[in-house]
């Protein structure tokens, strides 16, 4: 364990603060604060802090991916191993087995997966991608790897077929040719079926691409080849000629055999199904149009939509199943995508919620020449995976054990909690299981392959996702799995919007007004708080009992006035028309999004949504306790909430936006503070105002709002991310000039001063009283030049007086500390957006990472909030309840909370809130706070122990609040005994309180900015984890801020990553990698080493089922037909070598050749030895399986011979 001395930091003897050299004079304290010395100070405490974490503790590694595969394209199933594989358009493969067995693979090329083929019960998978490459995956390891690849150079792959228990793969191409590949060596055979030899010589047209390949169930030496134009060829592989040819007028989409090998069925582009008999190939044996209207005899049936795929499966004891997708009538355009099941005379149409990508019928046997006995149908949709039970007449679906419904509504925010209280998962599950859907099949999920164990990781984990429709989902993420526990619908708090409310002329909210922006959860007290896109905050309490009660609602008014010192000359500033008078009339509703009502009256004091006023029935679980809404002010909508925090111990919730800060007492249901950001810097009387500057005429238009979706900002489907010191922002295409969006001073309404309070204290008396305050906003000047990003140049305005200049350059009473806007240094990144992602990416997660609208750059937004027992002022000797407030300009304001001393008084006496006058500063918007005690241990915020608020037990009614403070008694001693860690978008600092001395500063990035930062616990020690916009994940020790890890992991390619990336304890993190998938990762070396033990096994040794017994004498005399040796026919000895220019063999990274090419030295030798050992073990396993099969056959033969001997033992020769 290495020790670090604070005194050595100043002398530069250690590398604990590598960024201190570049952190000179800009580090200013605040009024009443000590001066900041980068890297260390002379008066530091002389005790040493032991930091146990070193760089050896950290390593980045992806762990598991949850959710539905994004943009699926292919589906495959192994009927013996019972595992399912899904390919996607991005080149990914997801392999699923029993719950807990979920593996993600990725093609390096990123080409779309066209088709997947399992080597049944062999532990291998063949994938065909859109770049005309075949890949062989080894599934006998927990992380599948590519063994071989074969790249076709001159032909495009269209279809692949691998017969059961065969090592020769048939590959059809766009030119109509059929090639054959050896699976073991992945070498192309010289045997080729050319299209011009397959069709008749008299045919004048090309048959088109190969759309189907399959060997005859009756004779393996015959291959059925289907061409797109309607031609079917029955090819004899031995004689190398066509036995028969079938022609049909309509294009073919798919073909399937009858198990006897005498008939096959085709699906066509006109919605018809044709059944062909090999004995009469001149015309179809039967033609049907299942969904076509019946016509008179002699007339052709009505054409329907194409039948994209058909499967023909037989049953021993019932009629065969004919299952197909598509084929509906054209006159039913409004019909949803459907799957049709024909069983005898019964036709069942199953309508789907999404288009069908692929489907497979799951059968009992892998042998194609036996009765198939189908028992289920796996249907892959564009956004879902369902399995239909065929054994029941009503065809119910199986309950899906995988978390495939993460994207049921687009995910807008996430939260991750590791090492939660152990009883939480059971409690949430017991509540959520009561609301599960009914009507599922009573049978077990049929995809049950693989093996999974719990592993060494046993601590509970919970993931919370917020969605665009206002729902909140709690997930059990323990032991590398994901199962939904509980679902909460926040929209039930509000009245339903009337038809047409969302289609008004001037909209401010997105298409989903209930979209969740931020989540704050205290697992210990079970207090839950969310903020939505419509500028509201809902606080929930957990209860096991159902209640019916009214929902308490508070409306808060934060007002902005257009103020500026520099007034442009009339001739240099063209007048702006009053666009509000040009707006069309519209209705004025409480839930409306209009600026002007139908009477022409400006909207004022109206929330965006209406809370239900009648008593509401609340089931057990999370029940709404308080709703806080920001209201319209003089026709301007409330700004989106950018920060949120709650303290169960204090009974206070705080939130802020680009206008100001609101603090609410949720115990007494009163507003304690509603103050503009600029007012937070005033430690004196809030209402002692300086003379105001001349006020401009208010001019606004309805389209200039920050509560608009990205889909409205970017009609060309191109996102632009602007990154600056302050925030990650979205570009605004509003035509309003920036001059109209100068900083506006908010009000401190609902917070009136009490006579008995000390100057600067504000106590809530009458919530109905709304007082208005105006303050100055001084422009930022450096060397006489205006640097504010929204102000005009100095030459175009009036010159400031010397008195005004002195006000700008000093900190006077009631003045905010001077901060440069710093928006000049910025960069723009253009990101292409697909149509499918437009809606998912249209939600702005204005979290502590200060993602806000760019037209609000001139305002100082509240970006981070933190409740903690700390020192509010420099001369404090004891800790007290405090609220840390961080802004987008890098300022930190400490607010003191004066709480009643006893529990009884807490419910009656008011809470006094005081901006303490303590200011700290950083470069860039503040992202996160945390505190450590004198020994270097992380301090947790105090919380209240949970108790059921609706418990009817008498003992519970008299039970007092139990608070857990989480700090030691030694912290009451005098001196510097608390460290505060503050991280912004650019740097991290560690301050010593109460002296407010900066002990450490580390400039994390200069060319980029931090998206997410959290102080987390790993190995019982605290560290600072950061995710940067340039893709780097950085870990720093605490409190010395020594870099432990810096890995270029994931570049910012999508706003989705920015709003969903989050760290948690125990070295875990996650983000939304696609609109439908959550990617989990770890930065813990220990977890990376043990990841193999936590993942499930895809392959388990299972004996291949025996083929059906066809009788002893029939098998003895070859009743099954002639034998077929593919090795003799396709091998190099008889077929020769294929052209080298036709295909190129590429050794995969999982093969011996791949390792030889990619690795060297000792590690390469070790890797080669390990892989060789794995392959040797694999061959030994195969040999053992073959030996067991031969022993079984020998025993069966001995048994039959013994029975035959006993049968004829006592018979005479003449009795035979």
């Amino acid at each position: 364990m290495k020790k670090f001395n604070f005194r050595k930091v100043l002398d530069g003897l250690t590398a604990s603060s590598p960024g201190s050299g570049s952190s000179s004079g800009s580090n200013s304290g605040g009024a009443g604060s000590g001066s900041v010395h980068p890297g260390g100070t002379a008066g530091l405490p002389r005790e040493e802090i032991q930091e146990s974490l070193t760089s050896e503790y950290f390593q980045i590694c992806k762990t598991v991916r949850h959710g539905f595969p994004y943009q699926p394209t292919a589906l495959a199933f192994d009927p013996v191993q019972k595992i399912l594989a899904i390919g996607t358009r991005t080149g990914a493969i997801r392999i699923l087995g029993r719950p807990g067995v979920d593996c993600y693979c990725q093609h390096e090329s990123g080409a779309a997966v066209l088709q997947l083929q399992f080597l049944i019960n062999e532990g291998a998978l063949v994938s065909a991608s859109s770049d005309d490459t075949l890949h062989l995956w080894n599934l006998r390891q927990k992380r599948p790897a590519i063994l071989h690849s074969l790249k076709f150079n001159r032909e495009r792959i269209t279809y692949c077929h691998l017969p059961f228990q065969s090592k020769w793969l048939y590959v059809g191409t766009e030119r109509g040719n059929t090639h054959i590949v050896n699976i073991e060596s992945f070498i192309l055979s010289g045997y080729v079926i050319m299209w011009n030899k397959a069709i008749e010589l008299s045919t004048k047209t090309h048959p088109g691409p190969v759309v189907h390949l399959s060997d005859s169930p009756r004779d393996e030496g015959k291959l059925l080849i289907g061409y797109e134009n309607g031609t079917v060829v029955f090819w004899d592989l031995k004689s190398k000629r066509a036995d028969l040819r079938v022609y049909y007028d309509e294009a073919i989409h798919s073909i399937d055999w009858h198990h006897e090998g005498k008939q096959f069925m085709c699906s066509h582009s006109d919605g018809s199904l044709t059944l062909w008999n090999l004995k009469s190939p001149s015309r179809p044996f039967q033609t049907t149009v299942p969904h076509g209207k019946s016509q008179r005899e002699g007339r052709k049936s009505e054409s329907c939509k194409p039948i994209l795929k058909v499967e023909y499966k037989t049953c021993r004891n019932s009629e065969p199943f004919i299952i197909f997708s598509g084929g509906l009538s054209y006159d039913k355009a409004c019909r949803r995508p459907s799957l049709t099941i024909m069983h005898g005379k019964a036709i069942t149409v199953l309508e789907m919620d999404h288009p069908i990508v692929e489907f497979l019928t799951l059968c009992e046997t892998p042998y194609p020449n036996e009765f198939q006995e189908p028992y289920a149908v796996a249907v892959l949709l564009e956004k879902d995976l369902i399995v239909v039970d065929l054994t029941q007449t009503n065809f119910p679906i199986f309950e899906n054990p995988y978390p495939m419904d993460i994207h049921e509504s687009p995910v807008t925010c996430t939260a991750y909690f590791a090492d939660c209280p152990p009883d939480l998962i059971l409690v949430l599950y017991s509540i959520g299981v009561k609301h599960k859907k009914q009507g599922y099949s009573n049978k077990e999920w049929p995809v049950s392959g693989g093996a999974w164990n719990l592993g060494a990781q046993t601590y509970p984990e919970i993931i919370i996702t917020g969605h665009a429709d206002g729902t909140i989902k709690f997930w059990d993420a323990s032991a590398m799995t994901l199962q939904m526990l509980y679902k909460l619908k926040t929209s039930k708090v509000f009245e339903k919007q009337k038809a047409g409310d969302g289609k008004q002329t001037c909209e401010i909210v997105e298409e989903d007004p209930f979209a969740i922006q931020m989540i704050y959860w205290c697992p210990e007290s079970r207090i839950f708080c969310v903020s939505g896109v419509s500028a509201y905050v809902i606080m929930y309490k957990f209860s096991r009992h159902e209640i019916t009660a009214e929902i308490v609602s508070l409306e808060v008014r934060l007002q902005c006035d257009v103020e500026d010192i520099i007034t442009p000359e009339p001739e240099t500033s063209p007048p702006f028309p009053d666009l509000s008078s040009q707006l069309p009339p519209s209705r004025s509703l409480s839930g409306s999004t209009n600026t002007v009502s139908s009477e022409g009256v400006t909207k004022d004091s109206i929330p965006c949504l209406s809370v239900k006023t009648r008593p509401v029935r609340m089931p057990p679980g999370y029940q709404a306790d308080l709703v806080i809404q920001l209201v319209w002010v003089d026709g301007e909508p409330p700004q989106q909430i950018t920060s949120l925090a709650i303290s169960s111990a204090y009974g206070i919730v705080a939130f802020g936006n680009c206008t100001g800060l609101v603090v609410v007492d949720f115990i007494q249901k009163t507003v304690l503070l509603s103050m503009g950001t600029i007012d937070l810097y005033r430690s004196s009387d809030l209402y002692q105002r300086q003379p105001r500057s001349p006020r401009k005429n208010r001019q606004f238009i309805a389209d200039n709002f920050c509560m608009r979706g990205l889909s409205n900002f970017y009609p060309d489907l191109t996102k632009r991310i602007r990154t600056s010191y302050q925030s990650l922002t979205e570009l605004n295409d509003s035509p309003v000039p920036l001059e109209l969006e100068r900083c506006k001073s908010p009000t401190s309404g609902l917070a009136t001063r009490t006579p008995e309070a000390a100057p600067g204290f504000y106590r809530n008396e009458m919530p109905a009283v709304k007082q208005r305050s105006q303050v100055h906003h001084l422009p930022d000047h450096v060397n006489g030049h205006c640097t504010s990003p929204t102000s005009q140049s100095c030459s175009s305005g009036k010159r400031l007086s010397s008195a005004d200049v002195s006000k700008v350059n000093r900190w006077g009473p009631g003045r905010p500390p001077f901060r440069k806007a710093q928006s000049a240094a910025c960069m723009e990144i253009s990101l292409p957006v697909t149509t499918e992602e437009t809606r998912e990416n249209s939600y702005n997660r204005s979290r502590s990472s200060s993602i806000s609208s760019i037209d609000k750059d001139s305002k100082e937004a509240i970006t981070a909030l933190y409740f903690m027992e700390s020192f509010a002022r420099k001369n404090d000797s004891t800790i007290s309840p405090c609220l840390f407030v961080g802004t987008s300009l890098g300022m930190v304001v400490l607010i003191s909370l004066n709480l009643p001393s006893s529990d009884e008084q807490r419910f009656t006496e008011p809470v006094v809130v005081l901006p303490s006058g303590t200011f700290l500063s950083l470069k860039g918007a503040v992202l996160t706070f945390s505190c450590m005690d004198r020994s270097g241990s992380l301090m947790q915020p105090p919380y209240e122990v949970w108790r059921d608020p609706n418990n009817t037990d008498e003992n519970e009614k008299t039970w007092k609040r139990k608070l857990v403070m989480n700090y030691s008694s030694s912290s009451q001693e005098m001196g510097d005994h608390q460290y505060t860690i503050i991280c912004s978008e650019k740097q991290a600092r560690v301050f010593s309180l109460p002296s407010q001395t900066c002990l450490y500063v580390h400039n994390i990035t200069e060319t980029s900015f931090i998206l997410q930062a959290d102080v987390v616990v790993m190995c019982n020690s605290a560290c600072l984890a950061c995710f940067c916009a340039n893709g780097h994940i950085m870990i720093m020790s605490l409190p010395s801020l020594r870099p432990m890890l810096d890995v270029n992991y994931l570049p910012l390619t999508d706003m989705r990553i920015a709003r969903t990336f989050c760290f948690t304890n125990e070295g875990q993190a996650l983000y939304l990698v696609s609109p439908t998938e959550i990617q989990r990762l770890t930065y813990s070396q220990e977890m990376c080493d043990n990841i193999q033990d936590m993942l499930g096994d895809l392959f388990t040794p299972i004996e291949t089922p025996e083929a059906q017994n066809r009788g002893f004498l029939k098998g003895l005399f070859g009743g099954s037909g002639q034998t077929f040796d593919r090795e003799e026919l396709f091998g190099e000895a008889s077929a020769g070598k294929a052209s080298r220019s036709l295909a190129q063999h590429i050794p995969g990274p999982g093969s011996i050749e791949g390792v030889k090419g990619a690795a060297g030295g000792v590690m390469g030798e070790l890797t080669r030895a390990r892989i060789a050992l794995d392959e040797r073990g694999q061959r030994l396993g195969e040999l053992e399986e073959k030996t067991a099969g031969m022993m079984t056959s020998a025993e069966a033969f001995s048994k039959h011979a013994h029975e035959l001997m006993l049968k004829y033992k006592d018979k005479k020769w003449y009795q035979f």
Side-chain angles (χ1 to χ4, degrees), residues 73-74 86-93 105-117 125-137 146 148-153 155-160 169 171-174 186 1144 1146:
T73 55
I86 300 174
T88 71
R89 193 178 302 174
T90 59
I93 299 177
C105 314
Q106 176 68 48
H107 293 91
E108 291 185 1
S109 64
V113 178
L114 297 180
Q115 194 175 354
L116 296 172
Q117 286 272 315
L125 175 71
V126 175
S127 63
S129 54
S130 61
D131 60 351
D132 307 309
T133 306
L134 298 174
H135 305 274
L136 178 63
W137 295 83
I146 295 178
H148 302 280
S149 297
L150 188 65
K151 169 72 174 176
F152 281 75
N153 297 322
E155 298 193 52
R156 305 296 305 272
I157 299 174
T158 56
Y159 195 86
C160 299
L169 174 72
V171 180
T173 67
E174 191 176 28
F186 240 57
Q1144 177 187 1
I1146 305 172

Side-chain angles (χ1 to χ4, degrees), residues 1045-1103:
L1045 178 73
D1046 188 351
V1047 176
N1048 188 3
Y1049 171 75
L1050 177 73
L1052 177 64
T1053 56
D1054 202 290
M1055 283 288 294
R1056 183 192 314 108
I1057 300 173
R1059 69 169 184 264
T1060 58
F1061 199 103
C1062 52
F1063 295 97
T1064 188
N1065 298 330
E1066 308 299 335
Q1068 304 249 38
L1070 66 81
Y1071 61 94
L1072 204 68
V1073 68
S1074 73
T1076 61
E1077 295 170 289
I1078 290 176
Q1079 177 67 59
R1080 292 168 66 179
L1081 63 141
T1082 181
Y1083 48 92
S1084 167
Q1085 178 67 58
E1086 180 182 3
M1087 191 169 182
C1088 290
D1089 295 339
N1090 300 327
I1091 190 67
Q1092 295 292 333
D1093 298 331
M1094 301 177 187
L1095 299 177
D1097 293 302
L1098 296 174
F1099 179 80
T1100 54
I1102 300 176
E1103 185 178 352

Side-chain angles (χ1 to χ4, degrees), residues 525-546:
S525 62
R526 302 184 187 178
I527 294 290
F528 185 64
C529 197
V530 300
S531 69
V533 73
S534 298
Y536 64 82
V537 172
I538 309 176
M539 198 213 72
Y540 290 88
K541 290 185 177 180
F542 189 85
S543 175
R544 297 177 183 268
H545 305 278
E546 178 180 319

Side-chain angles (χ1 to χ4, degrees), residues 1043-1190:
M1044 297 282 100
L1045 178 73
D1046 188 351
V1047 176
N1048 188 3
Y1049 171 75
L1050 177 73
L1052 177 64
T1053 56
D1054 202 290
M1055 283 288 294
R1056 183 192 314 108
I1057 300 173
R1059 69 169 184 264
T1060 58
F1061 199 103
C1062 52
F1063 295 97
T1064 188
N1065 298 330
E1066 308 299 335
Q1068 304 249 38
L1070 66 81
Y1071 61 94
L1072 204 68
V1073 68
S1074 73
T1076 61
E1077 295 170 289
I1078 290 176
Q1079 177 67 59
R1080 292 168 66 179
L1081 63 141
T1082 181
Y1083 48 92
S1084 167
Q1085 178 67 58
E1086 180 182 3
M1087 191 169 182
C1088 290
D1089 295 339
N1090 300 327
I1091 190 67
Q1092 295 292 333
D1093 298 331
M1094 301 177 187
L1095 299 177
D1097 293 302
L1098 296 174
F1099 179 80
T1100 54
I1102 300 176
E1103 185 178 352
T1104 303
E1106 295 184 5
Q1108 293 180 1
N1109 189 3
R1110 293 166 291 181
F1112 175 74
L1113 295 177
K1114 187 176 180 180
L1116 184 62
F1117 293 105
S1120 60
Q1122 57 183 340
T1123 59
F1124 176 66
D1125 188 357
R1126 292 188 178 92
E1127 182 69 31
E1128 179 183 354
L1129 186 61
F1130 302 145
E1132 184 177 337
S1134 58
K1137 293 184 178 181
S1139 173
R1140 292 185 177 180
S1141 62
L1142 182 60
Q1144 177 187 1
H1145 176 260
I1146 305 172
S1151 64
I1152 291 290
E1153 294 83 356
V1155 173
K1156 287 180 180 178
V1162 178
M1163 294 302 297
E1165 293 296 333
L1166 290 176
T1167 305
R1168 287 194 289 271
R1170 180 180 59 81
I1171 294 179
L1173 185 62
D1174 291 343
E1175 292 187 355
R1176 181 174 179 272
Q1178 179 178 344
R1179 294 192 185 98
L1180 289 176
E1182 294 175 355
L1183 180 62
E1184 184 180 355
E1185 293 175 3
K1186 291 180 180 179
T1187 304
M1190 293 176 63

Side-chain angles (χ1 to χ4, degrees), residues 69 72 74-76 84-88 92-96 116 380 385 404:
L75 182 68
L84 190 76
I86 300 174
T88 71
I93 299 177
R94 286 281 294 280
I95 305 174
L96 305 171
L116 296 172
L380 179 63
L385 172 68
M404 294 291 187

